[in-house]
Amino acid sequence: MKIKKLMMLLVAFLATTAFIACGDDNNGNGGGTPISTLTVRPTSLEFDANGGEQVIKAQAPVQATATSSADWCAVTVGEQYGDIKITPMTVTVSANPTTYERTAVVVITAGSETETVTITQEEGNASVTPGTITKDAQAIAKAMYPGWNLGNTLEATGDGLAAETSWQPTKTTQEIIDAVKAAGFKAVRIPCSWDIHSDGSGTIDAAWMARVKQVVKYCVGIGLYVVLNDHWDNGWIEVQGFSKSSSSYQAVDEATITAKIDRLKDLWTQIATEFKDYDEHLLFAGLNEPFQEYNLFNGRHEELTPILIRYNAAFVEAVRATGGNNAQRTLVVQGPSTSINSSVQYMPANTLPEAAGKLMVEVHYYDPGQFCGTFDASGANAYYYWGVANHGINHNPTYGEEDYMNAQFAKLKTTYTSQGYPVIIGEYAGLQRTLPNDDQTKHDASVKFFYQCVNEYATNNGIVAFTWDTNDTNGLNGESGSSTIIDRANKSVIGINAMTGILAGAQAGSWPY
C-alpha cells in the first residue's frame, strides 16, 4: 500500500508540474494562447484511513467553485491567482471509521464548464467495537427515503458472476451508483440470490460473496443506505417453504419447515458474518415475497402466515447470533405475500419477532396492476392513466387511485409505524409508455402523479418507498411500457416523469416521527 501511495504522489506531482508549466506558456508573457477552458489536476486523489489534506488546482478564465458529494470530504476553495488563473482547492478527508473503502466525488465548476475529481479513502480499522450502531429503526427510516432498486441484477439466475447481466445488460459500477445518488435517491435495495450460488454443502461461493460485497461498498461508501435481501432465489423458500410442489399446492410438513429454517439460518449466518462490522447504513431483509405465487397460494394467506412468522424469527435469530454490529442492526421482515391487506390482517405487530426499535416490516405495492404492469399491462385491458384529474377517453382505472392508495398506506401506519415499526415498500412501479394513438400528455401526467403520490403518502405515514427499476430502456418506447428510471449504460435519468414525481412526493411529504 505504501508503494502505491508513493507512486500516486509522484504521478500527482508530475501532473501538477506539467499543468503549471503549460499554464506558464499561456500567461500572456510567453506568447501562448489565452486560457479558454477549465482544466483540473489531479483528477483523482487517494487517502489512507486516517484522512488528511491534499490540494487540487483548477485553471480557468474565471474563479472556480467546488462541491463534494460526501460530508466526510470537505473542499475549501481559495482565491484565483496569477496570470495563469489558478484556483487552489484544499480537500480535507476525515478519518474513516468504517470497514469499507469509501468514495466521494468533487464537482468543480467554472462558468458553464464542470469537471469531476474522484476521492477514494481506504477502509478503516477492521476491528470495530460492537455496539457502534446507535440509531434506531425510526431514525434510520427517516433518513432513507426515497429508495431505488438495483433490479434484475444480483437476484438474476445464471452461472456464477455472469448471472449479474443475464436479465439486464449492464454490470454495476461505482459510477452507476453515483448517478443513482445524484438523481436524488438516499437508499438502494439490492435484491440478491444466495442459495443458487452455493455449493453442495451450502457454502456461498466466495467470488459471489465478494462481488455482492463490492456492490454494497459502492453504495455505503457514498453514504447511501442499503437493504440487502435473499430474493426469489429459485423459490427455494419463498415457494417451496410453503408448498412441496411448485406446480400445485401441497401443504408442507414439519420436517420441511424445519429443514427450511436450518437452511435460512445457515445462509444468513454466512451473510451476516461477512458484513457484521458495517454500520447502520446496511440493513438485512430476510426474504422477498413469501408465497407470492398467485395460483398456488391465493386464499391461503391466513393458514400460511404462521409458517412465515417462524421463518422471520429464524432470520432475526441467525443474524443477531453473529454479534458485532449485527446485534443492533436494523432488520426487515416480510408480510404475507408482501400484501398490505394480508399483512395488517394476519401479521400484526404483536406477531413480529422483536420489540420495536431494530425491526422494519416490508410490503410491496403494485395497484392497480393494469397500470403498474403486474397483469393486463398492455392491450385493451391496460390502464394508461392514473389520478382522477388525468383520465382519458378510455383505459382509465376502475380502482386503485389516490384515495385507495392513501387508505392502504394509512393501514400500515395504524398497524406498524405508529407502533414503532417503520415500513418499507420494497417495490412499487408504474409503467411509462409511448402511446401513438392515445393521450400522451395525460399519460405522462399520470405517471408523474402516481410516483408523487406513492412517495408523499408513504412519507406521511412513516413508510420508505423503493421504486422498482430493471434497466429496461427499450420498453419506454412502446405501449408495453417500462418502470426503468436510471439508464445504467449512460448513467442518466431516462424515466423523467417518474423521477420528477418521486422527488416532488418526497419533498411534499412530512415524516410523522
Side-chain angles (χ1 to χ4, degrees):
M1 190 65 190
K2 291 181 179 179
I3 295 175
K4 180 181 179 183
K5 290 281 185 288
L6 183 61
M7 291 300 296
M8 287 296 299
L9 290 171
L10 179 59
V11 170
F13 173 76
L14 293 174
T16 303
T17 304
F19 170 60
I20 294 174
C22 291
D24 288 339
D25 287 337
N26 296 323
N27 64 7
N29 298 320
T33 304
I35 299 165
S36 60
T37 189
L38 171 63
T39 306
V40 176
R41 295 290 186 274
T43 57
S44 64
L45 296 175
E46 285 195 354
F47 289 82
D48 62 22
N50 295 321
E53 293 184 352
Q54 295 188 51
V55 176
I56 300 169
K57 293 186 178 181
Q59 185 180 38
V62 297
Q63 171 76 40
T65 61
T67 59
S68 171
S69 66
D71 55 9
W72 52 267
C73 174
V75 186
T76 303
V77 180
E79 293 294 326
Q80 191 178 62
Y81 66 84
D83 292 338
I84 58 174
K85 307 292 186 181
I86 298 293
T87 300
M89 301 178 178
T90 302
V91 178
T92 304
V93 170
S94 60
N96 190 351
T98 75
T99 58
Y100 46 82
E101 181 181 85
R102 56 186 183 178
T103 304
V105 176
V106 172
V107 179
I108 298 173
T109 303
S112 61
E113 295 183 275
T114 61
E115 294 289 344
T116 60
V117 178
T118 302
I119 313 297
T120 57
Q121 185 181 26
E122 69 180 8
E123 64 187 32
N125 185 358
S127 178
V128 175
T129 302
T132 56
I133 293 179
T134 59
K135 291 182 180 179
D136 65 11
Q138 288 282 28
I140 290 171
K142 186 177 181 179
M144 286 174 63
Y145 68 91
W148 177 83
N149 270 278
L150 184 69
N152 279 15
T153 307
L154 296 180
E155 84 276 28
T157 57
D159 184 18
L161 296 179
E164 182 176 353
T165 53
S166 65
W167 289 0
Q168 59 80 41
T170 311
K171 185 176 179 179
T172 306
T173 63
Q174 181 67 65
E175 290 74 20
I176 290 172
I177 302 302
D178 290 344
V180 171
K181 181 176 181 179
F185 293 107
K186 295 182 180 178
V188 175
R189 180 173 178 260
I190 302 179
C192 194
S193 287
W194 300 98
D195 189 65
I196 63 175
H197 295 287
S198 302
D199 63 19
S201 65
T203 302
I204 298 169
D205 177 67
W208 183 253
M209 180 70 82
R211 176 56 181 156
V212 176
K213 193 170 184 179
Q214 184 178 43
V215 175
V216 171
K217 286 181 179 180
Y218 292 157
C219 301
V220 297
I222 58 173
L224 293 171
Y225 288 85
V226 169
V227 177
L228 178 66
N229 78 357
D230 180 23
H231 211 69
W232 176 67
D233 209 0
N234 262 0
W236 77 271
I237 188 169
E238 297 214 326
V239 176
Q240 297 161 24
F242 303 95
S243 172
K244 287 187 175 182
S245 170
S246 298
S247 57
S248 63
Y249 178 73
Q250 298 179 24
V252 291
D253 54 21
E254 182 59 28
T256 299
I257 296 170
T258 300
K260 296 298 182 183
I261 286 175
D262 290 344
R263 178 56 177 151
L264 185 67
K265 284 186 173 182
D266 178 42
L267 280 178
W268 275 109
T269 297
Q270 294 179 64
I271 300 164
T273 299
E274 188 72 24
F275 289 96
K276 70 178 181 179
D277 292 330
Y278 278 59
D279 68 12
E280 68 268 6
H281 284 82
L282 178 61
L283 295 75
F284 297 142
L287 302 171
N288 170 48
E289 291 181 351
F291 49 95
Q292 63 174 302
E293 295 288 344
Y294 182 86
N295 292 333
L296 288 180
F297 302 119
N298 183 42
R300 301 184 183 275
H301 291 189
E302 183 176 10
E303 67 180 280
L304 294 175
T305 298
I307 301 174
L308 171 62
I309 289 171
R310 293 177 64 183
Y311 292 154
N312 284 339
F315 154 66
V316 172
E317 180 183 344
V319 173
R320 297 288 183 233
T322 61
N325 280 337
N326 290 332
Q328 302 296 325
R329 188 173 311 285
T330 293
L331 305 179
V332 186
V333 295
Q334 290 64 46
S337 197
T338 55
S339 157
I340 293 176
N341 289 335
S342 292
S343 296
V344 301
Q345 185 172 2
Y346 305 129
M347 202 181 78
N350 63 3
T351 67
L352 298 178
E354 281 188 344
K358 298 179 291 186
L359 208 64
M360 296 185 187
V361 176
E362 180 177 0
V363 297
H364 294 175
Y365 191 80
Y366 287 111
D367 283 330
Q370 297 91 334
F371 182 80
C372 297
T374 52
F375 59 91
D376 289 335
S378 60
N381 294 322
Y383 294 167
Y384 295 165
Y385 311 107
W386 193 91
V388 295
N390 297 321
H391 287 186
I393 296 174
N394 48 41
H395 289 288
N396 297 311
T398 58
Y399 81 102
E401 295 185 275
E402 52 263 62
D403 288 347
Y404 172 88
M405 177 190 290
N406 207 9
Q408 289 294 92
F409 292 2
K411 293 178 184 178
L412 295 171
K413 182 177 183 181
T414 298
T415 305
Y416 300 117
T417 71
S418 66
Q419 306 301 313
Y421 295 98
V423 172
I424 70 168
I425 297 176
E427 297 176 16
Y428 74 94
L431 292 180
Q432 175 70 57
R433 312 169 193 258
T434 301
L435 305 174
N437 300 314
D438 291 272
D439 194 326
Q440 187 69 49
T441 300
K442 283 184 177 292
H443 172 68
D444 291 347
S446 298
V447 172
K448 177 181 175 182
F449 190 53
F450 174 82
Y451 280 86
Q452 178 178 331
C453 287
V454 169
N455 284 273
E456 181 175 352
Y457 300 164
T459 301
N460 289 341
N461 288 285
I463 301 165
V464 181
F466 287 76
T467 186
W468 184 244
D469 190 328
T470 61
N471 197 30
D472 169 26
T473 58
N474 293 327
L476 295 170
N477 300 315
E479 292 186 60
S480 61
S482 173
S483 61
T484 292
I485 296 175
I486 303 294
D487 178 353
R488 299 183 204 173
N490 293 306
K491 296 174 281 294
S492 61
V493 174
I494 193 170
I496 295 174
N497 293 315
M499 193 72 239
T500 301
I502 289 170
L503 296 178
Q507 179 66 32
S510 178
W511 193 260
Y513 307 111

